[in-house]
Amino acid sequence: SGTVTSFSDFTGGEIDAMPVELNSFQVTQSKNDILLNWSTSTEQNNYGFEIERSTILTSLNYGIWEKIGFVQGSGNSNSPKKYSFTDNTLTKSGKYAYRLKQIDNDGSFEYSKIVEVDFVMLDKFTLEQNYPNPFNPTTVISYQIPVNSNVSLKLYDVLGNEVATLVNEYKEAGRYKVELNVGQMSLSSGIYFYKLQAGEFTEIKKMILSK
């Protein structure tokens, strides 16, 4: 390969050839899809990118890599280029790894670094136990909604009196975290309840404030 720097994720070609330099490669979850975004600084004879995915078996071991898509390259370019791909084929929660197989016009190829993601399938409504519990003065409440919904999350005392409204708005499908800080609230130690309503879904959990 030609000149290689510590910033070159892809290298290849003949002496003095311009390598395909990967600037960034990121994966994020959006609802039940995984979004892949990457960019290059320069390209020469870049036919394109095969996207490969594998399950993560252990911290040092991956399963079989499979091709899940292809994105056409820009051929020859000395200006930044941006690319994206959406993986909408996952059917269950788990840890997954992704890599790019950059292919030249002559068939030679190089692999990018591996990027991992912890995928959570949004297939049901979930209200999780607050953490920490017992708490003082802050705790975090997490919940998940699989469809866009009007969401209400409220705090009640043991007598059923509403103490605070934590969420009251329209939310898109996804996972959310809400921090409850009672430092500025005149609440006594004891048991409280938090209630999530989203569409027709309702769930109540108990928390303990310990001062």
Side-chain angles (χ1 to χ4, degrees):
S1 63
T3 303
V4 180
T5 74
S6 60
F7 300 102
S8 301
D9 289 277
F10 292 125
T11 62
E14 302 173 353
I15 299 299
D16 296 327
M18 185 191 309
V20 175
E21 291 192 49
L22 190 68
N23 266 341
S24 63
F25 179 31
Q26 298 177 329
V27 295
T28 56
Q29 180 174 348
S30 176
K31 298 183 181 180
N32 281 329
D33 297 336
I34 295 295
L35 307 181
L36 292 83
N37 293 280
W38 66 98
S39 63
T40 62
S41 296
T42 58
E43 300 181 20
Q44 179 163 312
N45 299 321
N46 181 21
Y47 174 67
F49 305 90
E50 287 186 356
I51 295 89
E52 296 186 353
R53 183 187 70 209
S54 173
T55 55
I56 300 176
L57 304 178
T58 67
S59 59
L60 299 175
N61 191 20
Y62 299 104
I64 297 174
W65 288 94
E66 60 175 328
K67 176 185 174 182
I68 60 171
F70 177 81
V71 174
Q72 190 75 39
S74 297
N76 298 297
S77 173
N78 58 7
S79 61
K81 301 295 180 183
K82 294 182 178 181
Y83 300 90
S84 63
F85 179 82
T86 300
D87 180 8
N88 57 8
T89 61
L90 292 175
T91 58
K92 63 180 181 179
S93 301
K95 294 184 177 181
Y96 296 89
Y98 291 86
R99 68 184 182 185
L100 303 175
K101 181 180 180 181
Q102 184 272 316
I103 305 173
D104 289 344
N105 288 325
D106 62 4
S108 60
F109 61 87
E110 295 285 343
Y111 287 106
S112 73
K113 65 181 180 180
I114 296 172
V115 179
E116 301 178 354
V117 62
D118 192 354
F119 174 73
V120 179
M121 189 72 182
L122 300 178
D123 56 353
K124 60 182 179 180
F125 290 93
T126 302
L127 176 63
E128 299 180 8
Q129 185 63 52
N130 64 299
Y131 181 84
N133 187 47
F135 73 98
N136 181 36
T138 62
T139 188
V140 175
I141 301 171
S142 299
Y143 65 92
Q144 163 182 305
I145 55 174
V147 295
N148 299 350
S149 305
N150 289 311
V151 175
S152 170
L153 180 61
K154 295 184 178 182
L155 182 66
Y156 298 87
D157 62 20
V158 291
L159 298 178
N161 298 311
E162 182 180 326
V163 174
T165 297
L166 307 179
V167 179
N168 186 25
E169 60 183 298
Y170 184 81
K171 294 281 191 180
E172 293 189 350
R175 290 178 59 84
Y176 296 92
K177 292 183 178 181
V178 179
E179 182 179 79
L180 169 63
N181 188 337
V182 300
Q184 303 299 319
M185 303 169 64
S186 57
L187 298 182
S188 58
S189 297
I191 296 174
Y192 293 85
F193 298 90
Y194 56 101
K195 178 181 180 181
L196 176 69
Q197 288 184 299
E200 298 181 355
F201 173 82
T202 300
E203 187 168 353
I204 301 173
K205 287 187 178 294
K206 179 175 66 176
M207 63 170 59
I208 300 175
L209 173 60
S210 178
K211 291 187 175 180

